[in-house]
Amino acid sequence: LKRDSGQYWPSIYHTMSSPCSAMAYHHDSRRIFVGQDNGAIMEFHISEDFNKMNFVKTYPAHQNRVSAITFCLTSEWVISTGHDKCISWMCTQSGSMLGRHYFTSWASCLQYDYETRHAFVGDYSGQITLLKLDQNTCSVITTLKGHEGSITSLWWDPVQRLLFSGASDHSIIMWDIGGRKGRTLLLQGHHDKVQAICYIQLTRQLVSCSADGGIAVWNMDISREEAPQWLESDSCQKCEQPFFWNIKQMWDTKTLGLRQHHCRKCGQAVCGKCSTKRSSYPIMGFEFQVRVCDSCFESIKDEDRTSLATFHEGKHNISHMSMDISRGLMVTCGSDRIVKIWDMTPVVGCSLATGFSSR
């Protein structure tokens, strides 16, 4: 209903006892789970005509702010992470706690594979933990380390079994969980922390949003190169001049030590004189110019610098993003208290094959 002022009356309004920090809505059962700053999760059931919100129960899930929630209907579990450094899973039928697992840092985000009961938890130390949840226990499968800043967003694609993580180090990493070869792809195209990501499996595209308002659409339907591990050396691997901590070689050669750098393309430890050039190298995920050694710079052709992502300006600090993939629509929420709805069909494909329509 519209007010005389032109604004709409809210259909449902419910005041919580503590600020809301996370939410999960299950479309088929119309159940909504709201996490709060005080660590509790409240469950509501939405009426069929969406005109009423009935309180069901409160779950004592955490001792501190709830950071992420997911609901699994088949097992009747509500799974959540929080700033009390733990993941908890509770039974929605009894309301009782089934299990908890603690981390060394605040747990910031959560993805869950409903079929295999695997949970992916990102934390503030920059680590992602893969857990297998059972009725009352859990086992740590592995920990994924690659980010240099806190994990801010995760996206799990159960079809291709790919995990994407965005972090405050401005980068995104694709972890090939299904390949079992530990393959990781680094994507660097943002100039501030990556706050939200969404992988569109049909078009093989990744959409990412950052705190500086940047929206990137990455083409993942090509064969990308894995960024090399940085090599360690006591001297430049090109000219063999010693680095400043190599006291023995400095003394033997009567030279001053140099600062160590790394070529982003080959991973070799090089000095500044042997890496004077900068280049983008999109096939390896470097969308803007990074340090490369002089020989790698010569090997990069002009066509190798062609961007494999498109960049758009959101014009607000994007703190949250959600995609309606079937319609090609995206919602962004900013720290400026503005909500924007975007038509993404021009940049994420628009054909009957992908399920998108031109409206």
Side-chain angles (χ1 to χ4, degrees):
L1 295 175
K2 242 184 191 178
R3 298 179 181 178
D4 295 337
S5 64
Q7 301 294 311
Y8 288 91
W9 289 98
S11 324
I12 307 172
Y13 188 88
H14 186 94
T15 305
M16 312 290 280
S17 58
S18 178
C20 307
S21 56
M23 187 183 286
Y25 175 61
H26 190 261
H27 185 269
D28 294 340
S29 63
R30 297 192 309 282
R31 290 157 84 175
I32 191 164
F33 297 86
V34 184
Q36 299 173 83
D37 261 5
N38 62 9
I41 295 174
M42 291 179 79
E43 180 187 347
F44 298 90
H45 184 256
I46 311 291
S47 62
E48 247 180 282
D49 60 0
F50 290 93
N51 233 1
K52 201 174 177 191
M53 192 162 92
N54 298 302
F55 170 72
V56 180
K57 61 168 74 82
T58 300
Y59 301 89
H62 296 275
Q63 302 296 316
N64 207 324
R65 172 184 289 188
V66 180
S67 56
I69 308 172
T70 189
F71 169 62
C72 180
L73 183 66
T74 51
S75 59
E76 285 287 347
W77 287 0
V78 58
I79 307 152
S80 58
T81 55
H83 284 190
D84 56 356
K85 304 180 182 178
C86 86
I87 178 173
S88 72
W89 56 108
M90 305 188 72
C91 175
T92 51
Q93 292 169 324
S94 65
S96 61
M97 178 71 67
L98 295 172
R100 266 199 181 113
H101 178 80
Y102 283 88
F103 308 98
T104 54
S105 299
W106 283 358
S108 51
C109 41
L110 167 71
Q111 287 285 285
Y112 185 65
D113 186 80
Y114 298 96
E115 196 180 325
T116 63
R117 292 188 175 182
H118 283 100
F120 301 90
V121 181
D123 65 37
Y124 272 73
S125 74
Q127 188 170 283
I128 301 163
T129 307
L130 170 54
L131 302 146
K132 173 79 162 66
L133 304 186
D134 294 306
Q135 191 64 30
N136 297 107
T137 59
C138 74
S139 48
V140 175
I141 306 300
T142 188
T143 53
L144 306 173
K145 296 174 184 176
H147 284 291
E148 293 175 11
S150 56
I151 311 296
T152 50
S153 49
L154 288 174
W155 185 276
W156 168 245
D157 174 42
V159 179
Q160 288 181 270
R161 306 197 71 74
L162 299 173
L163 179 72
F164 295 88
S165 58
S168 59
D169 61 5
H170 310 179
S171 69
I172 300 159
I173 295 179
M174 186 200 89
W175 312 84
D176 188 359
I177 305 295
R180 298 188 183 278
K181 292 176 184 171
R183 182 167 165 264
T184 59
L185 294 177
L186 180 67
L187 302 173
Q188 290 190 335
H190 288 290
H191 296 282
D192 207 334
K193 62 182 173 183
V194 180
Q195 308 246 64
I197 48 178
C198 171
Y199 179 63
I200 304 167
Q201 199 267 327
L202 286 163
T203 59
R204 304 288 201 275
Q205 286 171 301
L206 178 74
V207 181
S208 58
C209 300
S210 71
D212 62 0
I215 300 169
V217 181
W218 306 81
N219 179 8
M220 302 305 292
D221 197 24
I222 46 161
S223 180
R224 288 180 176 269
E225 286 180 27
E226 201 170 342
Q229 290 286 325
W230 283 5
L231 302 173
E232 291 306 319
S233 175
D234 289 331
S235 54
C236 175
Q237 293 179 295
K238 296 294 181 185
C239 69
E240 297 184 355
Q241 287 284 306
F243 293 131
F244 63 82
W245 60 81
N246 189 349
I247 308 294
K248 185 181 183 304
Q249 194 180 338
M250 282 163 55
W251 180 262
D252 292 345
T253 58
K254 300 290 187 289
T255 53
L256 278 172
L258 304 172
R259 192 177 162 202
Q260 183 189 47
H261 300 284
H262 284 93
C263 171
R264 302 304 191 267
K265 186 175 184 293
C266 67
Q268 285 193 322
V270 290
C271 67
K273 289 177 183 174
C274 295
S275 56
T276 57
K277 304 286 200 299
R278 302 286 182 276
S279 175
S280 61
Y281 195 52
I283 199 82
M284 208 174 266
F286 300 115
E287 285 289 336
F288 42 68
Q289 294 197 339
V290 291
R291 181 185 293 272
V292 290
C293 66
D294 292 354
S295 53
C296 279
F297 183 82
E298 297 301 324
S299 71
I300 299 172
K301 304 183 186 74
D302 283 345
E303 56 264 33
D304 294 336
R305 296 187 177 94
T306 305
S307 180
L308 296 174
T310 58
F311 297 92
H312 314 272
E313 183 48 63
K315 294 186 179 169
H316 67 161
N317 175 337
I318 298 169
S319 52
H320 183 80
M321 170 265 281
S322 182
M323 285 280 293
D324 180 347
I325 293 169
S326 63
R327 290 188 293 168
L329 295 176
M330 180 176 78
V331 167
T332 59
C333 307
S335 58
D336 53 4
R337 304 185 186 187
I338 293 173
V339 176
K340 296 183 180 183
I341 302 175
W342 306 80
D343 178 6
M344 297 296 284
T345 49
V347 289
V348 295
C350 180
S351 69
L352 293 173
T354 63
F356 291 164
S357 68
S358 54
R359 295 229 276 294

